[in-house]
Amino acid sequence: MTAGAVLTLPGTPGSSAVIPGFLMQTSAKVTDDVAVSRPGYATAGWVPVSPRSTVFAGLLAAGRYADPFYSTTMKSVNTADFKVPWWYRADLVAGGESGQRTVVDLSGVVSQADVWVDGTLVAAKDRVAGQYTRHELDITALVHPGLNSIAVKVYPNDPAKQLTSGWIDWTQTPPDRNMGIVRDVVVRRTGAVAVANAYVVTGLAVPALDHADLTAKVAVRNQTAATVAATVQATLAGTTLSQPVSLAAHETRTVTFARQSVDHPQVWWPAGMGAQPLYSLDVSADVAGAVSDLAHESFGIRDVRAPLNAGGARAYSINGRPLLIRGAGWSPDLFLRWDARYVEDKLRYVRDLGLNTVRLEGHLEADEFFELTDRLGILTLPGWECCDKWEGDVNGGEPGEKWSEADFVIAEDSMAAEAARLRDHPSVISFLIGSDFPPSARIEKNYVDALRATEWPTAIVAAASDDSSPITGPSGMKMTGPYDWVPPSYWYAKREGGAVGFNSETSAGPDIPTLDTLRRMMSPAELDTLWRNFTASQYHRSPSSTFGTLKIFDNALAGRYGAPTGLEDYVRKAQLAQYEAVRAQFEAYGRNFRDASDPSTGVVYWMLNSGWTSLHWQLFDYYLDQNGAYWGAKKANEPLHVQYSYDNHSVVVVNNRHGAEAGLTVEAGLFTMDGTQKYLKSVAGIGVPGDGDRAVALTVPTVSGLSGTYLARLVLKDGTGREIGRNVYWLSTKDDVIDWANNDWYYVPTTSYANLAGLSGLAPVSVTASATSAGGADGTTTTTVTLRNTSTGKVPAFMVDAHVLGAAGAPVLPVRWSDNDVSLWPGESTTLTATYRTADLSGAAPSVRLSGWNVATRVIGH
């Protein structure tokens, strides 16, 4: 055995340890299931894998395959290798401690497993089934001092047949369908009495927020065949509580401690609304004066409510303040590899984008994920998955087999396990027990019973679609699409996916990465096809026939901006198209949040990110590069934001801060492609209430003499006249014409396109630039870039992008810019800052690459 596949068991009661890794082998090469779990079994040729690893991820890490994220490399993998079970094996070294129980805590098995210890079958696959069930396997009678072995035989996964997870139409399917072990396998040592499922029921006084009541609870279990007396102690909010308990043989009981009152509690808020303080609950069980077991739980004090408003939409509030859910759909890595730093980088992008929520449809991430969302103040909407076994009983002809009696048990056990795991996380604000379809009455009852048994503290939502179920009632959400390209004006209509109610998943579809990323993920021939052939099947889009090509997006791109003349021209036009589409989606929902009738209450962009190198449904790409979609979302979700309305031409200031703003000035100007100003109006003395309210500054009139394509520049100033925001639109005197009569579930046709081809006629301009970099004590570097349009004419520098470069001229990622894709009129200047890890420079001095629509690309150093 290798060192990574050996665990020395902890020697004190109340301790636990994670199996640090396994050796893995196909069952095709194992002839004796009994022998494989016995100490000393020969493992020559077995593959060492990490504690959490699918089969394919383990083989990939061992160098068995070429990069599956490049081109169509993944097609060449022989999927027959994964149609048989695979073994995961590790050794356990025990000391000579007496009176201790040894329990294996197992979850995250995809899809089923037999568990063996020292030649004995501990649990078979009919018991260890389902990705989200949790199993505590008592192996005390099998473990002896010295070397022991555990072997887990994992069976193939098929999301249509098992209650696991799949990839629907998001990406190509992994060759092994993610079979493996994707959560830590934990070995726990206890005395006679174990404690589990510690949690805190919180009650916060709203809206005063000056008092909270806390009640701690914990399950205690007698693991012996005799009656045991124990003392259970909890430390909660600085107070120690104690309670004696007598447990009959093998009895489990919930201990409820006296309610604790906390004045002036530290209240947990989402990012941008306040701080994210966390409290601790520590529990111990003592038997005969000695510690038998320990438990620890973190929690936050906050109040989440999600009633249905007058229009039937689910309307969230937190700590008494109304909250527009600005979210996006989360995707894990395609091979379910866990990388804590990478996950945190993505979640920090969520904050940078001005979003407040991620939705997890299936793929309910590890504990560390929710610890991060708690700490970073990012709300989460976990729930079950569509289009596979999870909805097989209710989704008609869509994928997913009907349920057997065993499936009802697995589903309820899964719900119970996830509810107990997630209930104390302040970032979790609902559970969606259905996605495209609500559960049947029987399934819903099982789910709700399991949730309520854990005292689930937030809303239980029947579905992400506009449906209802008998117990939980109407979902208050809609799932009307679109999922493919629609024009920016689409989002302003209060119908289908437009900005009304709560849209649980929606976007204008394709999100073409930057040229840097495209060249990392596609071959030269594929890149040539990308811009030339609109109807070509795109492997990096989707296996779905509906989303297999980019033809809807590409036809709109050519129809609105002009046919691409090459790859670079295609990519730069795509960035503009993505910017305007994403910005309009979030701006429309932001503007309509405080409408008196039929307000918008939430929108989840589909999606935040992709699990691999993708051409659609992402606000940033797999390598964390930021494209037009990213900058459009970041602009739209600014805390204090000035925006243009495509439907009625109003210019609106939206205030997402808590406090009211006063004394603001809005300036709106319209410009032809030669830079001639055709309209200018300034309105001063504007006040805007907080918490997502808005004020209409002015309405842009019909203006004569505009070119077919023209620019609108909005500038927001504070009471001193200092510019605090700007927003630039590219518009047309010819509207996009939407064919509402032929709306489909994934898009609505556009019969006539706006004319934005005039942008290609913007004259080149010169921009001076300087950059300085300074390292911080925290291991980061900040690069400051100053840009100035030094042209003597009237033409703006349009959509100037900056990228920090490191070793070999590669982009430094991740990076957080103060702003990007900026437009400057002659004489105007701006300063941008970029912060990133110094180590990501790979020893190189930073440089900055500048490019723009009408600004020559160049690299500046220091």
Side-chain angles (χ1 to χ4, degrees), residues 56 66-78 172 175 520-526 537-541 612-613:
F56 186 76
D67 180 6
F69 285 6
Y70 178 73
S71 186
T72 58
T73 303
M74 199 162 63
K75 278 186 176 182
S76 65
V77 176
N78 182 8
Q172 299 295 338
R520 292 180 70 174
M521 63 184 265
M522 300 174 74
S523 69
E526 289 167 332
S537 178
Q538 296 292 343
Y539 187 69
H540 285 267
R541 186 164 190 209
W612 82 322
T613 44

Side-chain angles (χ1 to χ4, degrees), residues 12 79 187 243 245 312 357 388 475 501 651 681 736 794 798 860:
T12 57
T79 58
V187 181
Q243 191 168 27
V245 60
T357 305
D388 58 19
S475 69
V651 175
K681 185 171 184 179
D736 293 296
K794 299 179 293 183
F798 183 58
I860 60 173

Side-chain angles (χ1 to χ4, degrees), residues 87-340:
W87 284 97
Y88 288 69
R89 189 184 190 284
D91 282 340
L92 309 175
V93 179
E97 304 87 6
S98 62
Q100 290 199 32
R101 312 292 301 183
T102 303
V103 175
V104 175
D105 188 341
L106 179 69
S107 64
V109 174
V110 186
S111 65
Q112 298 172 279
D114 299 327
V115 182
W116 296 74
V117 173
D118 288 358
T120 298
L121 180 63
V122 176
K125 64 177 181 177
D126 59 340
R127 178 181 174 189
V128 183
Q131 183 171 345
Y132 299 107
T133 55
R134 181 178 175 184
H135 310 276
E136 292 189 328
L137 308 176
D138 192 327
I139 61 171
T140 304
L142 300 173
V143 172
H144 54 80
L147 190 66
N148 302 265
S149 298
I150 181 171
V152 183
K153 186 179 185 180
V154 177
Y155 287 80
N157 181 42
D158 184 346
K161 297 179 179 180
Q162 281 107 17
L163 291 166
T164 54
S165 62
W167 291 94
I168 318 172
D169 48 13
W170 306 358
T171 70
Q172 299 295 338
T173 300
D176 65 345
R177 296 189 176 188
N178 293 139
M179 68 181 295
I181 300 174
V182 298
R183 289 186 182 170
D184 288 339
V185 179
V186 181
V187 181
R188 305 186 187 281
R189 307 298 294 274
T190 75
V193 173
V195 293
N197 294 329
Y199 65 104
V200 179
V201 178
T202 64
L204 177 63
V206 175
L209 309 183
D210 59 352
H211 181 85
D213 290 325
L214 310 178
T215 303
K217 300 186 179 186
V218 65
V220 292
R221 181 176 67 249
N222 179 359
Q223 302 188 109
T224 73
T227 299
V228 174
T231 300
V232 185
Q233 184 170 285
T235 302
L236 173 66
T239 300
T240 298
L241 307 167
S242 184
Q243 191 168 27
V245 60
S246 178
L247 298 169
H250 303 297
E251 180 186 1
T252 298
R253 186 186 306 176
T254 298
V255 171
T256 301
F257 294 93
R259 186 176 65 188
Q260 298 299 296
S261 294
V262 179
D263 290 326
H264 307 293
Q266 298 181 60
V267 177
W268 188 96
W269 291 95
M273 298 179 72
Q276 293 81 46
L278 295 172
Y279 286 82
S280 293
L281 168 66
D282 291 286
V283 177
S284 67
D286 294 353
V287 175
V291 172
S292 179
D293 201 9
L294 301 169
H296 171 82
E297 187 77 359
S298 294
F299 66 97
I301 298 176
R302 55 92 174 97
D303 178 271
V304 174
R305 302 183 189 183
L308 304 185
N309 66 13
R314 196 163 293 276
Y316 284 84
S317 66
I318 189 159
N319 302 331
R321 285 163 55 179
L323 180 70
L324 173 64
I325 296 296
R326 288 182 167 90
W330 175 268
S331 176
D333 171 77
L334 183 62
F335 308 126
L336 305 187
R337 294 171 293 189
W338 177 260
D339 181 330

Side-chain angles (χ1 to χ4, degrees), residues 648-659:
N648 60 18
H649 314 298
S650 62
V651 175
V652 178
V653 179
V654 177
N655 181 15
N656 295 310
R657 298 168 176 166
H658 180 49

Side-chain angles (χ1 to χ4, degrees), residues 3-43:
V6 178
L7 172 65
T8 299
L9 298 183
T12 57
S15 58
S16 63
V18 174
I19 294 179
F22 295 93
L23 294 179
M24 185 182 73
Q25 183 60 276
T26 173
S27 65
K29 297 183 178 181
V30 174
T31 58
D32 187 342
D33 285 10
V34 175
V36 74
S37 68
R38 286 178 174 155
Y41 182 81
T43 55

Side-chain angles (χ1 to χ4, degrees), residues 607-667:
M607 297 176 70
L608 173 72
N609 65 302
S610 178
W612 82 322
T613 44
S614 178
L615 295 170
H616 77 163
W617 298 345
Q618 58 188 357
L619 291 175
F620 51 88
D621 65 46
Y622 184 81
Y623 301 115
L624 305 181
D625 206 353
Q626 303 142 319
N627 62 6
Y630 189 100
W631 303 121
K634 182 176 170 71
K635 177 59 65 175
N637 294 315
E638 292 173 320
L640 185 63
H641 180 64
V642 61
Q643 63 186 63
Y644 171 81
S645 303
Y646 282 84
D647 57 342
N648 60 18
H649 314 298
S650 62
V651 175
V652 178
V653 179
V654 177
N655 181 15
N656 295 310
R657 298 168 176 166
H658 180 49
E661 297 286 339
L664 302 175
T665 296
V666 169
E667 179 184 280

